[in-house]
Amino acid sequence: MADWVKKPLRLKDEHGRETRVGCDVLVTDRSAVPFDYPDDWVVIPDDHGTLRLHDRQPPDDDCTLQMTIFDLNPNVDWSRLSLSSMIETLLQQETRFVLERGEIITFQRGPIEAAWSEIRFMDPNEARPAFSRTCLVRCGTLQPLITFDFWENDAPRCRQVWDTILATLRIDGTLIDPADGPTQRDRGKPPKPGRREPR
């Protein structure tokens, strides 16, 4: 059974987290993986530990973002396993009718490393083109997998949403109460070795 529990929270004063205009902050896994998303989107957890975000209540939605968080074995040196190679493997396993494949894009922000790419494919049910983006993020022993499917005609607005999510994504397993946000003590300090606290 999934561990997701939906509970709206009001951020406390001096929480130290700035949310972008028109966005809410999604706090997952005891505040380990927060990011900003459009405040009018619908958040739906499933029974397999995956969180889904839709621009409208299904089945009237036009795009779906999904995230699953994997806890890695702390006794393994995961840095030797390239996220780019993992994304490439996922793309090679794609079973949809692919029209185009994008390049693999990587970035690092503090202790967070990420790789993502997109495909353009033909949806067999709607007979129209769509995009699918896949991103793997890793920090310490947490590895979120994020996918985002949207129609080609929705690409401009959905790409803005994607950019916001990647820009605001944090991985911090040290917070317990998500309403607290970053503590005054930790603000402005570099992360200590072994802590899941990107800056």
Side-chain angles (χ1 to χ4, degrees):
M1 180 177 292
D3 294 326
W4 298 110
V5 176
K6 183 178 179 180
K7 183 180 180 182
L9 296 172
R10 187 176 186 85
L11 292 174
K12 297 178 180 178
D13 293 339
E14 303 300 325
H15 57 80
R17 178 180 288 127
E18 293 185 4
T19 304
R20 297 194 176 190
V21 176
C23 292
D24 284 339
V25 59
L26 182 74
V27 181
T28 63
D29 196 19
R30 294 182 64 81
S31 76
V33 188
F35 60 81
D36 290 7
Y37 71 99
D39 58 11
D40 58 350
W41 280 31
V42 181
V43 180
I44 304 176
D46 68 16
D47 294 331
H48 306 288
T50 296
L51 196 66
R52 293 183 289 118
L53 288 79
H54 305 264
D55 61 338
R56 285 193 291 270
Q57 185 70 37
D60 298 322
D61 56 326
D62 288 317
C63 56
T64 302
L65 185 137
Q66 300 185 76
M67 181 174 70
T68 304
I69 302 174
F70 297 95
D71 290 301
L72 304 178
N73 186 336
N75 299 316
V76 175
D77 181 9
W78 295 101
S79 64
R80 302 179 62 181
L81 181 58
S82 163
L83 292 180
S84 295
S85 64
M86 295 173 69
I87 289 291
E88 186 173 359
T89 299
L90 289 173
L91 294 179
Q92 290 173 352
Q93 296 173 348
E94 181 59 60
T95 59
R96 291 172 289 193
F97 185 73
V98 177
L99 302 172
E100 297 177 51
R101 296 180 187 273
E103 63 177 331
I104 296 176
I105 299 171
T106 63
F107 69 87
Q108 186 155 356
R109 187 170 62 241
I112 294 178
E113 56 177 325
W116 69 273
S117 188
E118 78 172 12
I119 62 168
R120 180 173 173 265
F121 67 97
M122 182 62 68
D123 184 90
N125 298 319
E126 297 281 343
R128 57 173 170 155
F131 287 99
S132 181
R133 292 188 169 191
T134 302
C135 180
L136 272 172
V137 187
R138 187 163 59 207
C139 181
T141 58
L142 290 182
Q143 184 169 284
L145 169 65
I146 304 171
T147 62
F148 193 22
D149 292 352
F150 51 91
W151 299 116
E152 185 176 55
N153 61 315
D154 289 319
R157 72 178 178 94
C158 287
R159 284 172 174 159
Q160 288 183 353
V161 171
W162 178 264
D163 290 345
T164 294
I165 289 172
L166 293 191
T168 60
L169 179 72
R170 299 290 182 266
I171 299 183
D172 186 350
T174 64
L175 297 178
I176 299 301
D177 184 352
D180 286 337
T183 64
Q184 290 283 355
R185 179 185 59 196
D186 292 335
R187 247 178 260 163
K189 292 184 179 181
K192 296 179 181 179
R195 292 184 68 188
R196 296 192 290 254
E197 187 176 359
R199 295 295 181 213

